[in-house]
Amino acid sequence: MPRIDSVRVRDVRFPTSLELDGSDAVNVDPDYSAAYVTITTSDGEQGHGLVFTCGRGNEIVAAAMESYGALLLEQDADALLDDLGAASRLLIHDSQLRWLGPEKGVQQMACGGLLNALWDLKARRAGKPLWLLLAEMSPEELVAVVDFTHLRNALTEEEALQILRRAQDGKAERIAELQRDGYPAYTTTPGWLGYSDEKLVRLSQEAVDDGFGMIKLKVAGSLEEDRKRMRLARETVGPDIRIGIDANQRWEVGEAIDWVNALQEFSPYWIEEPTSTDDILGHAEIRRGVAPVKVATGEAVANRIVFKQLLQAGAIDVMQIDSTRVAGVNENVANLLLAAKFGVPVCPHAGGVGLCELVQHFSFLDYAAVSGSMHDRAIEFVDHLHEHFTDPVRVRRGRYQAPGAPGISAEMVPASVAAWEFPHGSGWQEVGGRAAVTGRRTTP
Amino acid sequence: MPRIDSVRVRDVRFPTSLELDGSDAVNVDPDYSAAYVTITTSDGEQGHGLVFTCGRGNEIVAAAMESYGALLLEQDADALLDDLGAASRLLIHDSQLRWLGPEKGVQQMACGGLLNALWDLKARRAGKPLWLLLAEMSPEELVAVVDFTHLRNALTEEEALQILRRAQDGKAERIAELQRDGYPAYTTTPGWLGYSDEKLVRLSQEAVDDGFGMIKLKVAGSLEEDRKRMRLARETVGPDIRIGIDANQRWEVGEAIDWVNALQEFSPYWIEEPTSTDDILGHAEIRRGVAPVKVATGEAVANRIVFKQLLQAGAIDVMQIDSTRVAGVNENVANLLLAAKFGVPVCPHAGGVGLCELVQHFSFLDYAAVSGSMHDRAIEFVDHLHEHFTDPVRVRRGRYQAPGAPGISAEMVPASVAAWEFPHGSGWQEVGGRAAVTGRRTTP
């Protein structure tokens, strides 16, 4: 009987702040990082998961994963993998640890990283990519992995079953379609605040040429700059390509409404994270104030309970799940079910490091076996750091190609881990000399 | 020029789970713990702060405080203490670390612990208890410590100034009154789920005899049990003593309404934490469904933005701030201002270890210089673990006596820290043999 033998967590960071890739109005100098976990059984099987962070603090998430990992050690691996709903409850509802959230922040991310590694292990055992493993589960099996605690006034087990049973119809055809044609992507590559106008125009044109139907620009630095950049982008891509804009929570509620309306002439498709993602009522007010521009949020939404309310309040047009913010596969299945119940499209957040690799599985699952629709849906794509993964995403002609390798696609290339483990990896030894990147501080 | 010389964090835990003090429907076996921080300047001045946890995971908060503490090292102590608003922004808006929240969970608690230690240092320098230091600050000075980010659609700087200026009237008299008569308390000592009926009755009678005007019972284990315990408590204390009930987030929204209404005949005064504290809309629905029973929440509310919405949505009758959940003194001043703006009374959460000591300062401040009212207000009191503090709370005839010693009352007795530092303190060496307390696991 195999047991969970080890839970090994490594602090892997990339010095992206040196290039200003990933710069926006709030995240001015991220070093894209991963608290990277490998769970090994006594039989030598391995599952990999990760939690994305922006650099400093990656060690805190790693410490939390170590602590939560202790709850898994010595557990019967077969029993654990046979009931990952129970595994989720074991971690999330631990009677002492839950005080640290409950169900939010470092705690939720750490649980999510471990759960994703367990799902990776399960999918590898089955020899299937995660999305296909999930899509082929019965409605009853899928409902059993979801924690309905505090959801039931919006979504019951029975309603979830109905959604999933409805999606059994045509599932095999949709799976074949996904394997053949992939799933739409949109790209944020052109739009970082740190880029020059020339680079913005060039990358926007490349995005159109590459077949993307939507690009995204970071905004909320200065309105004048935003108007200039929106104008340049719109002139470059023409009227038919969607342009999302993303404020990364920078604004007050009233400010968001005014700012977005001052960009209406350039027809932004959505405004993403206009204000604090904790501010459900604020998002609802903004949505009323900026229509027809859509409101999107989710990458910083702590858990399914906040998503539930964003949907109940009519606060969002687009739900942006993130693969490593919430409590892993289990909670993201809950999020997909909520979105399906309320008829809101899911356009996952990605980028960072590994987020594209992980989150694609949820959109593939959504089309195959939950919403059954691709209408107004696309997965974010940023073309950074994929070379560090053993099964990197493949985006062709603006579409994610179906992941085919067994697992959740979180496994990192061993040489990358060795080079970029912080602070002693060889890569850090080299850049450490010319820039104390993660030691840099935000001054008040 | 003194600088911040060290930030030392210790993991202090008490084996309270052995006695079932503190047991409720969710926290079934807490070991009350503190991530205890001492900040020392190059002049040898010290400030103390702490973050309360339930045992496992205390090491995660400690790790987070170490990481955030690095941002304070070598800073000019005078400059830092002269502008604690800037200190708050330095920690909370750190461009890389904020991803871990933003502003919630482990991250927010760690920032709060450090900020409280800085306030302790500032108050000790001034030779005043924290509440008096704050109460004697000008409205402009107090507004300057608050972070209004994402609050301004409910509370602007100007509105906050108006609230504080109004409260200048009679402030000196109210300070004198507080120093003479103290501030009302209510007690949770009788009501833990783990206690026998006999103990419930005995402790309820003692509470009345001791002069408390309100007691609180934990509920949500079983309705039958709750009805029995409520009946016993009501028979013991008579019709004039308020009985709060506390479900510790155990219920779904509809379930909360039904359960509370099944207890209406015993006239509960408030229902506390009926469901997830993230569920703003759920609380609003529950409040409509259980009137005239009041709805109270806050001990697990992550930040001022969630409190803002609970108030905007008319979701709570009583706001329960906690001293170590949010980002320290700064964010609790924001919370008091929000409550005053919406006319909702603040009845702080306390208990655990050190929470009574710290949180009393906010109610004293509130009466002296913010709301100016004690109407329907009381500070929670639980008579546990006060002996571990150098300046323990003094509750007499049902009232907290005004803290008089300089600081925030968070300093622990050195011998207590030595005995209960986890896992190597002498106390843990003794109990470790008979119960692997913190190793105990919640099974799924």
Side-chain angles (χ1 to χ4, degrees):
Chain A
M1 194 171 69
R3 301 204 156 261
I4 302 296
D5 213 37
S6 71
V7 178
R8 182 170 181 202
V9 186
R10 277 169 293 191
D11 179 348
V12 181
R13 309 191 193 189
F14 300 94
T16 47
S17 62
L18 294 174
E19 302 294 334
L20 291 186
D21 294 336
S23 61
D24 61 49
V26 169
N27 307 296
V28 295
D29 58 355
D31 289 323
Y32 284 165
S33 302
Y36 177 59
V37 62
T38 300
I39 296 178
T40 308
T41 71
S42 52
D43 282 356
E45 295 172 290
Q46 294 197 318
H48 307 278
L50 63 83
V51 174
F52 167 70
T53 79
C54 286
R56 277 188 297 279
N58 204 46
E59 75 285 3
I60 301 172
V61 177
M65 289 172 96
E66 300 263 9
S67 292
Y68 273 97
L71 300 178
L72 300 177
L73 286 179
E74 297 303 319
Q75 299 262 355
D76 175 337
D78 296 343
L80 207 58
L81 298 178
D82 280 353
D83 188 356
L84 286 172
S88 161
R89 292 190 294 276
L90 169 77
L91 298 176
I92 292 164
H93 296 300
D94 179 87
S95 64
Q96 294 190 345
L97 283 158
R98 75 182 292 286
W99 185 266
L100 304 189
E103 301 194 51
K104 56 180 66 70
V106 167
Q107 179 202 43
Q108 199 76 339
M109 294 193 244
C111 291
L114 293 170
L115 286 168
N116 284 344
L118 290 173
W119 279 100
D120 187 52
L121 199 46
K122 184 181 176 90
R124 285 167 186 264
R125 277 190 170 188
K128 290 177 188 169
L130 177 75
W131 71 273
L132 190 59
L133 174 83
L134 293 167
E136 291 180 353
M137 284 166 68
S138 70
E140 291 73 16
E141 288 171 322
L142 210 47
V143 161
V145 310
V146 171
D147 185 349
F148 285 86
T149 307
H150 297 150
L151 282 192
R152 294 188 181 88
N153 65 326
L155 179 74
T156 63
E157 286 87 338
E158 190 49 45
E159 289 171 311
L161 278 174
Q162 284 168 15
I163 290 166
L164 295 170
R165 284 180 186 144
R166 208 162 46 227
Q168 294 294 299
D169 229 31
K171 186 169 82 172
E173 293 74 16
R174 289 193 301 276
I175 289 174
E177 182 191 341
L178 286 164
Q179 288 172 323
R180 186 184 66 234
D181 301 333
Y183 195 102
Y186 75 90
T187 178
T188 308
T189 297
W192 302 106
L193 279 189
Y195 287 177
S196 67
D197 291 350
E198 179 278 321
K199 193 166 179 180
L200 166 68
V201 167
R202 175 168 51 80
L203 294 175
S204 298
Q205 185 59 53
E206 284 177 19
V208 177
D209 296 344
D210 287 346
F212 289 97
M214 172 170 168
I215 65 171
K216 193 165 77 186
L217 304 190
K218 298 293 182 172
V219 294
S222 93
L223 179 56
E224 197 185 348
E225 269 294 303
D226 288 350
R227 286 180 53 86
K228 186 186 72 180
R229 295 170 69 253
M230 268 299 279
R231 187 187 308 274
L232 283 172
R234 180 55 78 201
E235 284 171 1
T236 306
V237 303
D240 297 333
I241 300 290
R242 289 174 174 174
I243 305 179
I245 56 175
D246 182 357
N248 289 85
Q249 311 171 41
R250 189 75 171 72
W251 295 320
E252 300 297 310
V253 172
E255 190 181 15
I257 295 170
D258 294 344
W259 199 302
V260 173
N261 286 334
L263 298 173
Q264 289 273 12
E265 65 186 280
F266 310 110
S267 302
Y269 178 64
W270 76 43
I271 173 64
E272 176 174 334
E273 289 202 315
T275 192
S276 165
T277 37
D278 293 338
D279 199 345
I280 295 148
L281 303 176
H283 276 79
E285 188 176 335
I286 291 166
R287 182 164 177 250
R288 289 191 297 271
V290 303
V293 178
K294 295 177 188 292
V295 170
T297 198
E299 71 183 67
V301 164
N303 57 46
R304 69 199 177 284
I305 300 154
V306 179
F307 273 126
K308 174 186 81 169
Q309 293 173 83
L310 286 165
L311 294 165
Q312 288 175 316
I316 53 173
D317 298 282
V318 176
M319 182 162 147
Q320 300 179 300
I321 63 169
D322 179 277
S323 54
T324 82
R325 172 74 67 184
V326 300
V329 171
N330 308 64
E331 191 158 35
N332 267 326
V333 173
N335 292 335
L336 293 180
L337 287 164
L338 280 167
K341 164 82 188 282
F342 285 86
V344 166
V346 173
C347 296
H349 169 250
V353 55
L355 297 181
C356 300
E357 275 69 20
L358 274 81
V359 91
Q360 60 182 336
H361 291 275
F362 299 101
S363 285
F364 279 79
L365 166 65
D366 184 57
Y367 183 63
V370 186
S371 77
S373 171
M374 280 187 196
H375 185 66
D376 282 344
R377 289 161 171 86
I379 307 167
E380 184 167 18
F381 175 63
V382 188
D383 198 5
H384 292 152
L385 305 174
H386 302 294
E387 65 275 20
H388 300 296
F389 290 84
T390 61
D391 182 29
V393 291
R394 294 166 301 145
V395 173
R396 292 194 196 127
R397 296 298 307 152
R399 296 177 82 89
Y400 275 79
Q401 304 303 297
I408 198 174
S409 314
E411 186 178 1
M412 299 187 82
V413 173
S416 293
V417 176
W420 296 108
E421 190 159 357
F422 186 83
H424 299 301
S426 55
W428 282 105
Q429 297 304 314
E430 281 165 38
V431 303
R434 65 190 172 93
V437 178
T438 61
R440 200 154 75 198
R441 284 179 193 163
T442 304
T443 45
Chain B
M1 194 171 66
R3 301 202 156 263
I4 302 296
D5 213 38
S6 71
V7 177
R8 182 171 182 203
V9 186
R10 277 170 292 190
D11 180 347
V12 181
R13 308 191 194 188
F14 300 95
T16 48
S17 62
L18 293 175
E19 301 295 333
L20 293 186
D21 294 336
S23 61
D24 60 49
V26 169
N27 307 297
V28 294
D29 58 354
D31 289 321
Y32 284 165
S33 302
Y36 178 60
V37 62
T38 300
I39 296 178
T40 307
T41 71
S42 52
D43 282 356
E45 295 173 289
Q46 294 197 317
H48 306 277
L50 63 84
V51 174
F52 167 70
T53 78
C54 287
R56 278 188 297 279
N58 204 46
E59 75 285 3
I60 302 172
V61 177
M65 289 172 96
E66 300 262 9
S67 293
Y68 273 97
L71 300 177
L72 299 178
L73 286 178
E74 296 303 318
Q75 298 262 356
D76 176 337
D78 295 344
L80 207 58
L81 297 178
D82 279 353
D83 188 355
L84 286 173
S88 161
R89 291 191 293 278
L90 169 77
L91 298 176
I92 292 164
H93 296 301
D94 179 86
S95 64
Q96 294 189 344
L97 283 159
R98 75 181 293 287
W99 186 265
L100 304 190
E103 301 193 53
K104 57 181 65 69
V106 168
Q107 179 201 43
Q108 199 76 340
M109 295 178 176
C111 291
L114 293 169
L115 287 168
N116 284 344
L118 290 173
W119 278 100
D120 188 52
L121 199 45
K122 184 180 175 92
R124 284 167 187 264
R125 276 190 171 188
K128 290 177 187 167
L130 176 75
W131 71 272
L132 190 58
L133 174 83
L134 293 167
E136 291 180 351
M137 284 166 68
S138 71
E140 291 74 15
E141 288 171 322
L142 209 48
V143 161
V145 309
V146 171
D147 185 349
F148 285 85
T149 307
H150 297 151
L151 282 191
R152 295 188 181 89
N153 65 326
L155 179 75
T156 64
E157 286 87 338
E158 190 49 46
E159 289 171 311
L161 279 173
Q162 285 167 15
I163 290 167
L164 294 170
R165 284 178 186 145
R166 209 163 44 226
Q168 295 294 301
D169 229 30
K171 186 170 83 173
E173 293 74 16
R174 288 194 301 276
I175 289 173
E177 182 191 341
L178 286 164
Q179 288 172 324
R180 186 183 65 233
D181 301 333
Y183 194 101
Y186 76 88
T187 178
T188 308
T189 298
W192 303 105
L193 279 189
Y195 288 178
S196 67
D197 292 350
E198 180 278 322
K199 194 166 179 180
L200 165 68
V201 167
R202 176 168 51 81
L203 293 174
S204 297
Q205 186 58 53
E206 284 178 20
V208 177
D209 296 344
D210 286 347
F212 289 98
M214 174 171 167
I215 65 171
K216 192 165 78 186
L217 304 191
K218 298 291 182 173
V219 294
S222 94
L223 178 55
E224 197 185 348
E225 269 293 302
D226 287 350
R227 286 181 52 86
K228 187 187 72 178
R229 295 169 68 253
M230 269 299 279
R231 186 187 308 275
L232 282 172
R234 181 54 79 201
E235 285 170 2
T236 306
V237 303
D240 298 333
I241 301 290
R242 290 174 174 174
I243 305 179
I245 56 174
D246 182 357
N248 289 86
Q249 311 172 41
R250 190 73 173 73
W251 295 320
E252 300 297 310
V253 172
E255 190 181 13
I257 294 170
D258 294 342
W259 200 302
V260 173
N261 285 334
L263 298 172
Q264 289 273 12
E265 65 186 280
F266 310 111
S267 302
Y269 178 64
W270 76 41
I271 173 62
E272 177 173 333
E273 289 203 312
T275 192
S276 165
T277 35
D278 294 338
D279 199 344
I280 294 149
L281 303 177
H283 276 80
E285 188 177 335
I286 291 166
R287 182 164 177 250
R288 290 190 297 271
V290 303
V293 178
K294 295 176 188 290
V295 170
T297 198
E299 70 182 68
V301 164
N303 57 46
R304 69 198 178 284
I305 301 154
V306 179
F307 273 127
K308 174 186 81 168
Q309 293 173 85
L310 285 165
L311 294 165
Q312 287 175 316
I316 53 173
D317 298 281
V318 176
M319 182 163 148
Q320 300 178 300
I321 63 170
D322 179 276
S323 54
T324 82
R325 172 74 67 184
V326 300
V329 171
N330 307 65
E331 191 157 36
N332 268 326
V333 173
N335 291 336
L336 293 180
L337 287 164
L338 280 168
K341 164 82 189 284
F342 285 86
V344 165
V346 172
C347 296
H349 169 250
V353 55
L355 297 181
C356 299
E357 275 69 19
L358 275 81
V359 91
Q360 60 181 338
H361 290 276
F362 300 102
S363 284
F364 279 81
L365 166 64
D366 183 58
Y367 183 62
V370 186
S371 78
S373 171
M374 280 186 197
H375 186 66
D376 282 343
R377 289 161 171 87
I379 308 167
E380 185 168 18
F381 175 63
V382 188
D383 198 6
H384 292 153
L385 305 173
H386 302 294
E387 65 276 20
H388 300 296
F389 290 84
T390 61
D391 182 30
V393 292
R394 294 167 299 146
V395 172
R396 292 194 196 128
R397 297 295 309 152
R399 295 177 83 90
Y400 276 80
Q401 304 303 299
I408 198 174
S409 315
E411 186 178 0
M412 298 186 83
V413 174
S416 293
V417 176
W420 296 108
E421 191 159 358
F422 187 81
H424 298 301
S426 55
W428 281 105
Q429 296 305 314
E430 281 166 39
V431 302
R434 66 189 170 95
V437 178
T438 61
R440 199 154 75 198
R441 283 176 194 165
T442 302
T443 45

